[in-house]
């Protein structure tokens, strides 16, 4: 009897054990799929072209942001007066300063333009633009940092991309630009408001792609290929790739970047008063480049930065002043330099004079400086002959012409990486051509590169430390 | 397969159920569960009454024939009637909750009147488990603290969470400030998560309910805006029967991934069978600021000892040196004409007046606040239906003028027991509250910021009026503050009067809570509980800043509106059974299944820049499309869980429980198992009891609990509205027509819950016939897989990933003691004491240097090797011996980078309480103490720079030449404003160059914040109450009332601490894991309450 009772009780107990066991087969199906975010769109929801503006903005801060200003300070163009910029001006540059630009390149540009290509492989205009943007941003990275991650980037399957040789990176980019040119040629221009550079004009993109090719060939010192590429490059100023600020005076986040820096709490920190560049185009200095055919007066006032910031800046860092990225001037000067190196004196001089003719049209100025005087008369061979206005020291005329072309690159290139790239490119075999800007106070050597980002060094197992500012990058060895 | 098994089980359960019904019908009895002997032997019927010691009937008492299941319960008059087999030597066991059980031998009599003495205080104490069931405390192995209804009510706190303060060990409760309805931080056994919410899970009547503190879009973050409410505080404290605080992992494990912060199990009152009881209570409270920053009134507005009515600071002239009389003013041009007083303010040419306004400015902001609360409840019922109805109304005015919090509560709890195998329990509550909250903290519209920075010689009163410019053009509704004393433009920050009277931050909450439970008892050993719950609220918030409010976004007018709704649905199916496997082995088994769904939605809209200067919060203030914006957010988190718990009772002495739950949740990849084991051993049963030692229990437990990841983190999605900036040069995609990017935060489809593993050991001991009880517990836990944002290699295309990457540990000790010192007829004196200590350490952050929990110049952070929440900021350089490395003049020098300044976690906390009753009088007192830890009142620090705080206003005549911070040598004999200090290199002069322009007061990272750290140790008189109850027979007979109680009590009346002017319990970042900071946060309160209670 007792045993039976116990058995009976056990039955219920065992039943509960069974129920326990079955309930423990918990139902994931009841909660599946609920974790899809209803507040954010998926990549599939969003059209390919909607990724373009963000990528272009990231590229703008890459080309015209913090590192550009630092490169300017390391090539006699800008001066850091106080706070962080005075430290950097004295060559105290931490890897942290590269974080934001590195992020813009590797997070802001590359994954985004690849997403465009993934989503719209048949939209040749978009695909071409995407490739040019990638080549532009990565090319800037390669020229600034040297060896960089490229072949394995933007792939979530590869947590730590390896660092590729700088020369290989440039070669890959040249291939990518060739592809881009093919794509763009196959594509059709259309009104593309997301393209804040060129508004969907494929011809301008093709020209920009050729100028970038020329830029990279130039950095690889393959001057004949550079010349060939530049012949199809940006042929007029309206095809120059620039950042055009927007909005009205009350909006923010859409203005000239340099203006924005000085307008905020950084006023007084950085400017160009006292820089070598400004003294070159100031008529009062002994090393002024003004001569009988050249008057830089208007350009001086246009270039002048009022470091205290604010609306007093009406020139090159005015609130709405466009910022140069890939320009007609750069292309002309590549043509001129490469022609001088690989074609002949006359052709080179012709290219230089084309640029001077454009300068003499005053088109580089904005309306605020329309009344200032300037002169860029065409040079002739005599000007470069020994004792000519561009050859007082009697060097070889071709050398004198090259020197003038490099100097023009130094002046016209204000606001781009061109002057910083040139001083490093010409270091080994053409040091006599370098614009002789002095080192900043406290400096012992010319920086040869900018540091990798701290965030990358910290996280990427393929690198343990930055090689430093003075390590010569492979293309310039 | 699974469904099949379940169906099989349900079918079988159903079969028992049907068979039972058959038996019942056949027997023609409504009473089930009768023993088998019922039909076998000759029966006799006995009757009787069960009463308390006073002879009052006890309805619902149980009368059972010992050793059988034969029994009954008493009716409303305490009467019972029971048929028993006529053996002649049986015993009745009569018991009732709260009373000692009595055994009565059944003799020849057929009538038995039994009087039950009140329970020897602890024998029958029960605790409520995380599933809402009552178990005997003495048989439980887990640590919990019970806060009773009386304790909650006597605390006088209108918000239930605040009533828990100092009532339970290792339960840190602190309201974020003294605003009416302000949110409350509650942390059990230290920090258990870094980025998740530290709030415990709240179970109301067996059902989880929302306890969120939502800041929302319109508030502008946690460190500014207004104090927001913590939703559990919606519950009316008067409705609460008990609060069980389950601290350990084992007790909470059945709630899986929501239980790592502990569980608050709240049970609301039920009616009891018997006559109608009516209870009415009215409480009136008077509230005042409990701490006030000391503000100087000897130096005027200005700098460098010179008066300047436009200066931000009060480093101006020495007021007693002024000429006195009216100021010389320029009456030829512009002026301000105040509304109300009509007083005109002209440009000051010479400041002559010696008048100061420190107190009047204060009184313009603060008042004696208070509340009036009415509580009405009706309860009673029959054997079959018991009801509890309550209605409560709270009208509270905050200590800051214009602030208020009004709340209406209604509740209906009905229990329906038609027969012995079925019962239904319905509990429903409705809450409606509305409040106006005052802007505070780091916020140019904050009231304290404007008030405390006001120079002593500036009168804030005329803040609103008309500004006339030099041409006599009138500008209406202008805002006058000390930084624009002519009201010509918007002051840099608000005049506090403007904050109070012109701005509005209202919140209107409607909340409905319901629980429906059905209990079925198919056979005597099994009980099936089906329990569903609904919790839904809407919170409608308006933030209104009229034109001319301070702040860039607000000066042209700003209206933000948030509509927040939350809904939590919950269902449990639970089967419980108790089985005696052998005489010495019994099993209590619980098996259950739960599904829970939580939804939250907010819609936020704003209108910025009004075209009309009105005080109506309507979108018509600017109807243009550009002025208006709208955003929405929705989330849904669902989980389901199967769980079990088996408690083995061995020899009524050893209780071993194995429990666990397997849970799947929508924000977690996969299902996770949360096991727990515990054991309680009543070793006193070994025959160790004596007059001295009455009870002893050892307990040990081990368990795992978790914290859910944030929802929606599996996928990599696209981001809109982003900005790129390399160095102070932002470009925003929204300014370029908008656009998208792949999120820089990589989706993580492998998210796991944060997992806390905890073990604890403890003992519960009682002495002197249970007069003294002691409970002590040591616990140790490890929390792994804590969720943080980890940096990725940027060249991979992604910068961060939300991942299970951090770990932390806690260990601690807690003790609670309760001693009935005197229990002698009319006089009873009881002492209680609690002590607790917790040590926390962040052990791993996967290479992330630190995580900011409450950002600011002094920042509360997570850092490896330190307790969570350490205060970090720039400090002073020290050598290896801890001495300052001084500059040439003997002043400390700044550290180049932020350093750890202090740990805000207390070393230990404790409380001591006493209550005494004598005849109708009752007296209670409760002291709370928090020992050690650091607190940073940055208000005080910044006020040094502003020169308004008293310590900057000392006058000292130097007896030797001293350097000041600027390096000037101030000659002996000079009388200066400042203090003399010795940092280790001889005395130096701390003057304006130290406090205002140096490193001894101010903003940003260039400050010696080590001097802004104070010891947080405090002691407070949390509660003191004296009451008198009239319930004599005479009184009852005359009034037909059962009792009338008057009471007066004080709450927070005294506070002893080390920080001038601030209660270290307030927290700038509100309800948050970061703490130990104050920055112009609204102050806390102390109160005196009067109440009277009428019981019928």
């Amino acid at each position: 009897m007792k045993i039976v009772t116990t058995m009976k009780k056990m039955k219920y107990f065992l039943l509960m054990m069974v129920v326990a066991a079955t309930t423990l087969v918990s139902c994931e199906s009841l909660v599946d799929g609920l974790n899809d975010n209803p507040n954010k769109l998926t990549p599939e929801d969003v059209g390919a072209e909607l990724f373009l503006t963000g990528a272009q903005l990231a590229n703008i801060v890459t080309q015209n942001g913090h590192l550009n200003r630092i490169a300017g300070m390391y090539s006699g163009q800008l001066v850091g007066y106080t706070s962080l910029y005075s430290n950097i001006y004295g060559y105290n540059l931490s890897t942290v300063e590269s974080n934001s630009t590195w992020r813009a390149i590797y997070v802001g540009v590359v994954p985004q333009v690849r997403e465009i290509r993934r989503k719209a492989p048949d939209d040749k205009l978009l695909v071409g633009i995407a490739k040019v943007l990638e080549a532009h941003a990565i090319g800037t990275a390669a020229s600034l940092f040297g060896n960089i991650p490229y072949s394995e980037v933007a792939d979530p399957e590869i947590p730590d991309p390896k660092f590729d040789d700088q020369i290989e990176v440039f070669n890959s980019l040249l291939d990518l630009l060739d592809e881009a040119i093919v794509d763009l040629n196959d594509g059709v221009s259309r009104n593309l408001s997301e393209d804040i550079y060129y508004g969907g004009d494929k011809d301008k993109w093709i020209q920009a792609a050729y100028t970038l090719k020329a830029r990279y060939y130039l950095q690889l010192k393959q001057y004949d290929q550079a010349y060939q590429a530049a012949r199809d490059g940006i042929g007029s100023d309206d095809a120059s790739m620039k950042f055009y600020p927007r909005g009205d005076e009350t909006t923010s986040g859409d203005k000239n970047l340099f203006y924005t820096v000085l307008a905020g709490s950084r006023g007084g920190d950085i400017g160009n008063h006292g820089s070598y560049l400004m003294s070159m185009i100031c008529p009062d200095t002994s090393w002024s480049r003004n001569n009988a055919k050249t008057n830089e007066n208007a350009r001086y006032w246009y270039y002048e930065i009022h470091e205290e910031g604010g609306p007093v800046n009406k020139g090159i860092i005015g609130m709405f002043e466009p910022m140069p990225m890939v320009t007609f001037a750069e292309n002309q000067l590549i043509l001129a330099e490469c022609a001088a190196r690989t074609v002949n004196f006359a052709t080179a001089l012709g290219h230089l004079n084309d640029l001077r003719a454009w300068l003499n049209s005053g088109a580089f100025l904005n309306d605020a400086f329309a009344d200032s005087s300037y002169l860029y008369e065409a040079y002739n061979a005599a000007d470069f002959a020994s004792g000519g206005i561009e050859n007082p020291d009697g060097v070889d005329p071709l050398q004198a012409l090259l020197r003038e072309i490099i100097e023009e690159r130094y002046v016209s290139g204000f606001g781009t990486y061109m002057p910083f790239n040139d001083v490093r490119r010409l270091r080994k075999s053409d040091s006599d051509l370098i614009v002789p800007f002095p080192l900043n106070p406290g400096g012992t050597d010319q920086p040869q590169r900018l540091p990798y980002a701290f965030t990358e060094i910290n996280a990427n197992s393929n690198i343990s430390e930055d090689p430093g500012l003075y390590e010569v990058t492979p293309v310039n060895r | 397969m699974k469904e099949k098994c379940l169906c099989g089980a349900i079918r079988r359960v159903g079969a028992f159920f049907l068979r039972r019904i058959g038996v019942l019908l056949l027997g023609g009895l409504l009473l089930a569960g009768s023993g088998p002997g019922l039909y076998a032997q000759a029966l006799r019927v006995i009757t009787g009454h069960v009463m308390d010691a006073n002879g009052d009937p006890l309805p619902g008492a149980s009368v059972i024939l010992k050793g059988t299941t034969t029994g009954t319960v008493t009716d409303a008059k305490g009467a019972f009637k029971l048929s028993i087999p006529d053996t002649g030597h049986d015993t009745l066991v009569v018991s009732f909750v709260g009373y000692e059980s009595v055994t009565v031998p059944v003799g020849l009599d057929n009538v038995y009147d039994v009087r039950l003495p009140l329970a020897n205080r602890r024998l029958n104490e029960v605790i409520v488990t995380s599933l809402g069931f009552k178990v005997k405390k003495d048989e439980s192995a887990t640590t919990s603290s019970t806060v009773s209804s009386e304790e909650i009510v006597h605390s006088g706190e209108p918000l239930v969470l605040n009533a828990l303060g100092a009532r339970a060990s290792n339960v840190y409760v602190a309201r974020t400030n003294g605003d009416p309805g302000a949110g409350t931080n509650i942390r059990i056994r230290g920090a258990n998560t870094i980025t998740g919410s530290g709030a415990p899970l709240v179970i109301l009547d067996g059902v989880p309910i929302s306890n969120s503190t939502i800041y929302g879009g319109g508030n502008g973050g946690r460190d500014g805006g207004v104090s927001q409410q913590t939703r559990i505080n919606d519950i009316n404290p008067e409705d609460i029967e008990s609060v069980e605080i389950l601290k350990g992992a084992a007790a909470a494990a059945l709630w899986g991934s929501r239980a790592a912060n502990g569980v608050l199990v709240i049970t609301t009152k039920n009616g009891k069978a018997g006559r109608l009881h009516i209870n009415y209570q009215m409480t009136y409270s008077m509230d005042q600021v409990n701490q006030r920053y000391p503000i100087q009134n000897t130096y005027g507005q200005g700098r460098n000892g010179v008066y300047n009515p436009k200066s931000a600071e009060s480093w101006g002239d020495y007021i007693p040196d002024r000429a006195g009389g009216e100021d010389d003013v320029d009456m030829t041009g512009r002026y301000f004409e105040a509304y109300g007083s009509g007083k005109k303010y002209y440009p000051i040419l010479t400041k002559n007046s010696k008048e100061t306004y420190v107190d009047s400015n204060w009184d313009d902001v603060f008042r004696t606040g208070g509340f009036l609360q009415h509580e009405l409840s009706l309860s009673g019922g029959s054997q079959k239906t018991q009801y509890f109805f309550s209605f409560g109304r709270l009208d509270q005015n905050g200590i800051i003028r214009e602030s208020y919090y009004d709340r209406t509560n209604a509740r209906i709890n009905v229990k329906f027991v038609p027969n012995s195998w079925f019962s239904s329990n319905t509990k429903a509550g409705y809450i409606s509250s509305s409040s106006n909250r005052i802007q505070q903290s780091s916020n140019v519209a904050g009231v304290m910021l404007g008030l405390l920075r006001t120079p002593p010689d500036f009168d804030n009163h005329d803040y609103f009026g008309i500004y006339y410019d030099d041409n006599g053009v009138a500008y209406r509704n202008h805002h006058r503050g000390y930084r624009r004393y002519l009201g010509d433009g918007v002051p840099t920050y608000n005049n506090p009067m403007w904050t109070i009277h012109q701005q509005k931050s209202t919140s209107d909450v409607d909340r409905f809570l319901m629980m429906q439970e059905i209990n079925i008892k198919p056979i005597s050993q099994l009980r099936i509980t089906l329990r569903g719950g609904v919790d839904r609220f809407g919170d409608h918030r308006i933030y209104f800043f009229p034109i001319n409010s301070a702040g860039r976004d607000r000066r042209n007018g700003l209206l933000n509106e948030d509509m927040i709704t939350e809904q939590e649905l919950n269902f449990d199916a639970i089967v419980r059974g108790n089985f005696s496997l052998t005489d010495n082995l019994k099993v209590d088994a619980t098996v259950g299944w739960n599904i829970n769904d939580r939804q939250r939605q907010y819609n936020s809209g704003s209108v910025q820049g009004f075209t009309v200067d009105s005080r109506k919060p309507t979108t018509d203030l600017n109807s243009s499309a550009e002025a208006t914006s709208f955003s929405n957010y929705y989330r849904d988190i669902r989980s389901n869980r199967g769980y079990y718990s088996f408690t083995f009772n061995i020899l009524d002495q050893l209780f071993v429980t194995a429990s666990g739950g397997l849970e799947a949740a929508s924000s977690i990849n996969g299902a996770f198992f949360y096991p727990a084991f515990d054991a309680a051993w009543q070793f006193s049963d070994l025959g160790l009891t004596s007059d001295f030692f009455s009870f002893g229990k050892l307990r040990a437990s081990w368990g795992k609990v978790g914290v859910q990841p944030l929802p929606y983190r599996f996928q990599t999605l696209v981001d809109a509205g982003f900005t790129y900036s390399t160095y102070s040069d932002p470009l925003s995609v929204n300014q370029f027509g908008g656009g998208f990017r792949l999120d820089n935060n990589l989706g993580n489809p492998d998210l796991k819950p944060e997992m806390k593993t905890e073990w604890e050991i403890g003992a519960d001991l009682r002495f002197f016939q249970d007069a003294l009880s002691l409970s002590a517990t040591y616990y140790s836990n490890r929390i792994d897989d804590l969720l943080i944002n980890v940096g990725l290699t940027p060249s991979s295309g992604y910068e961060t990933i939300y991942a299970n990457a951090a770990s932390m540990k806690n260990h601690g000790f807690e003790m609670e003691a309760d001693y009935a010192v005197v229990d002698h007829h009319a006089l009873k004196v009881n002492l209680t004491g609690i002590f607790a200590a917790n040590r926390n350490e962040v052990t791993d952050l996967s290479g992330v240097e630190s995580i900011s929990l409450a950002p600011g110049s002094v920042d509360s952070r997570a850092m490896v090797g330190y307790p969570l929440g350490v205060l970090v900021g720039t400090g002073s350089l020290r050598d290896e011996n801890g001495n300052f490395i001084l500059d040439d003049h003997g002043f400390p020098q700044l550290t180049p980078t932020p350093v750890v300044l202090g740990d805000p976690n207390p070393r230990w906390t404790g409380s001591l309480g006493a209550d005494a009753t004598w005849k109708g009088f009752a007296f209670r007192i409760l002291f709370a103490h928090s020992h050690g830890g650091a607190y940073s009142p940055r208000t005080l620090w910044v006020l040094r720079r502003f020169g308004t705080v008293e310590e900057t206003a000392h006058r000292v005549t130097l007896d030797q030449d001293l350097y000041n911070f600027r390096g000037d040598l101030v000659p002996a004999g000079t009388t200066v404003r400042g203090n003399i200090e010795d940092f280790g290199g001889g005395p130096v002069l701390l003057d304006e160059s130290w406090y205002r322009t140096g490193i001894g007061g101010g903003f940003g990272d260039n400050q010696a914040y080590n001097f802004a750290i104070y010891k947080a140790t405090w002691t407070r008189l949390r509660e003191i109450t004296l009451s008198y109850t009239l319930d004599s027979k005479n009184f009852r007979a005359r009034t037909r009332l059962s009792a009338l109680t008057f009471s007066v009590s004080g709450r927070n009346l005294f506070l002893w601490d080390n920080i001038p002017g601030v209660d270290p319990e307030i927290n700038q970042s509100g309800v948050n894991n970061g703490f130990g900071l104050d920055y112009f946060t609204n102050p806390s309160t102390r109160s005196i309450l009067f109440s009277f209670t009428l019981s019928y």
Side-chain angles (χ1 to χ4, degrees), chain B residues 728-742:
Chain B
S728 299
D729 54 0
L731 285 183
S732 162
V733 74
N734 287 349
Q735 299 297 333
F736 292 85
F740 294 89
R741 66 173 178 191
L742 288 178

Side-chain angles (χ1 to χ4, degrees), chain A residues 24 27 35 39 112 160 456, chain B residues 634 640 662 712 742 793 795:
Chain A
L24 286 185
C27 304
N35 212 31
N39 306 303
Q112 315 305 334
D160 288 344
E456 183 78 16
Chain B
Y634 172 79
N640 85 100
L662 184 71
Y712 308 141
L742 288 178
T793 302
S795 62

Side-chain angles (χ1 to χ4, degrees), chain B residues 46-283:
Chain B
I46 57 168
T47 60
H49 285 85
V50 180
M51 293 160 288
D52 65 12
N54 298 327
D56 289 339
L58 289 176
S62 118
V63 182
I64 291 172
L65 192 63
K66 194 176 182 180
T68 73
T69 52
T70 305
T72 184
V73 288
T74 56
D75 66 12
K77 290 175 180 160
F80 69 89
K81 185 174 179 185
L82 187 63
S83 299
I84 60 167
D86 193 6
T87 61
H89 52 267
D90 278 319
T91 308
L92 290 180
V93 180
V94 183
S95 59
F96 189 61
V97 175
Y99 294 84
E100 273 187 26
S101 294
V102 167
T103 53
V104 183
V106 180
L108 297 172
D109 288 349
N110 282 336
V111 180
Y112 295 89
D113 284 348
V114 186
R115 289 195 177 204
L116 299 186
L118 269 176
N120 194 348
R121 61 197 75 245
R122 279 127 198 154
L123 210 58
N124 287 317
E125 274 183 48
V126 292
I127 58 172
V128 184
T129 67
S130 67
L131 292 179
F133 299 121
K134 286 178 176 166
V135 298
K136 280 191 177 160
K137 188 163 189 170
D138 282 349
E139 296 177 4
S140 167
T142 54
T143 320
S144 70
S145 298
T146 311
V147 182
S148 70
S149 152
E150 292 77 41
E151 285 176 299
I152 290 168
V153 171
H154 280 283
S155 76
E157 295 277 0
L159 302 182
V160 62
L161 261 191
N162 297 341
L164 304 181
R167 306 280 168 189
S169 58
N170 253 330
V171 179
Y172 169 85
V173 177
R175 50 189 177 161
T176 56
N177 67 25
D179 289 356
T184 308
N185 267 305
I186 176 162
R187 202 163 46 237
I188 299 172
R189 287 186 176 172
N192 294 294
T193 180
I194 296 173
T195 60
S197 162
L201 175 68
V202 177
I203 306 288
L204 181 75
D205 294 320
V207 174
I209 61 165
S210 171
N211 182 28
S212 48
T213 305
I214 301 172
Y215 285 81
N219 197 57
R222 290 164 179 274
D223 59 345
V226 300
S227 60
Q228 296 295 353
Q229 305 168 43
T230 299
R231 282 277 74 90
I232 179 187
N233 285 332
D234 292 335
I235 308 298
N236 186 3
E238 299 283 337
D239 290 347
I240 292 175
E241 177 74 43
S242 70
V243 177
E244 205 70 54
I245 304 168
L246 306 181
K247 304 176 196 170
L254 292 187
W255 285 103
S257 68
R258 293 179 66 187
N261 297 307
V263 181
L264 292 186
V265 180
I266 302 177
T267 310
T268 59
K269 288 172 181 164
N270 258 334
K272 292 187 180 76
R275 71 170 177 90
L276 169 68
H277 285 269
I278 302 173
N279 212 60
Y280 168 75
Q281 179 172 330
M282 188 177 86
T283 307

Side-chain angles (χ1 to χ4, degrees), chain B residues 103 226 237 240 446 632 650 705 746 754 772 780 798 1057 1072:
Chain B
T103 53
V226 300
I240 292 175
N632 64 0
I650 302 158
V705 280
L746 184 65
E754 297 180 352
L772 170 65
S780 174
Y798 299 94
D1057 72 331
N1072 193 10

Side-chain angles (χ1 to χ4, degrees), chain B residues 480-686:
Chain B
R480 176 177 175 269
Y482 87 89
R483 293 188 71 170
R484 288 291 171 104
Y485 76 105
L486 294 174
D488 47 335
V490 178
T492 314
Y493 20 83
N494 278 355
N495 184 312
M497 298 283 281
W498 180 280
T499 298
I500 293 170
H501 297 290
Q502 298 303 319
Q503 295 177 175
K504 289 273 177 289
S505 301
T506 59
S507 169
D508 289 277
V509 178
D510 282 282
R511 186 172 189 177
F512 180 72
L513 292 152
M514 177 158 176
M515 186 282 286
Q516 171 62 49
E517 182 183 275
I518 291 168
N519 285 294
I520 299 163
K521 211 169 163 186
I523 55 167
S524 61
Q525 291 104 329
L526 279 185
R527 183 173 300 190
I528 299 168
T529 301
L530 303 175
R531 186 191 287 149
V534 182
D535 173 12
R536 188 174 171 89
F537 70 81
D539 186 352
H540 178 205
R541 299 178 185 167
I542 288 175
Y543 302 85
F544 183 77
F545 303 90
I547 292 174
N548 290 327
S549 298
R552 203 179 49 165
D553 302 343
R554 297 165 178 164
R555 59 190 315 140
N556 299 315
L558 176 66
L559 167 65
N560 289 329
E561 192 159 339
D562 283 355
M563 187 66 225
I564 300 165
T565 54
E566 243 181 48
Q567 173 179 292
E568 178 157 4
L569 302 178
N570 189 76
F571 177 77
D572 275 282
I574 305 166
V575 181
R576 286 181 296 155
N578 41 63
F579 312 99
S580 300
L581 297 183
T582 70
D583 286 348
N584 293 327
L585 178 63
K586 293 178 211 132
V587 185
D588 273 337
T590 302
V591 178
W593 181 77
N594 167 273
I595 185 158
N596 179 278
D597 185 76
R598 286 179 286 159
Q599 294 177 22
R600 175 187 291 180
Q601 183 162 10
Y602 26 91
N603 297 328
S604 297
S606 80
V607 176
Q608 192 175 338
F610 300 160
T611 52
V612 180
D613 190 6
S614 159
R615 296 299 183 264
K616 280 188 191 174
T618 158
T619 50
D620 274 5
L621 290 170
N622 188 338
S623 56
S624 70
E626 305 81 62
T628 309
S629 71
F630 176 76
S631 66
N632 64 0
Y633 173 84
Y634 172 79
R635 81 173 199 197
D636 184 4
I637 302 170
R638 189 178 298 168
S639 59
N640 85 100
R641 218 168 46 246
Y643 51 86
Y644 67 86
S645 169
F646 292 98
T647 298
F648 297 88
N649 171 343
I650 302 158
L651 292 167
D652 273 335
Q653 191 183 110
L654 182 63
F655 303 86
V656 180
T657 302
S659 59
L662 184 71
E663 179 190 82
S666 59
S667 60
I668 295 171
N669 178 21
F672 283 80
F673 185 58
Y674 301 87
F677 298 96
D678 59 56
W681 177 36
Q682 291 183 1
F683 65 92
S684 50
D685 279 9
L686 297 176

Side-chain angles (χ1 to χ4, degrees), chain A residues 40-52:
Chain A
K40 279 185 153 192
L41 300 169
T42 68
E44 308 314 317
D45 295 334
V46 176
E49 66 281 358
L50 292 174
F51 288 86
L52 189 56

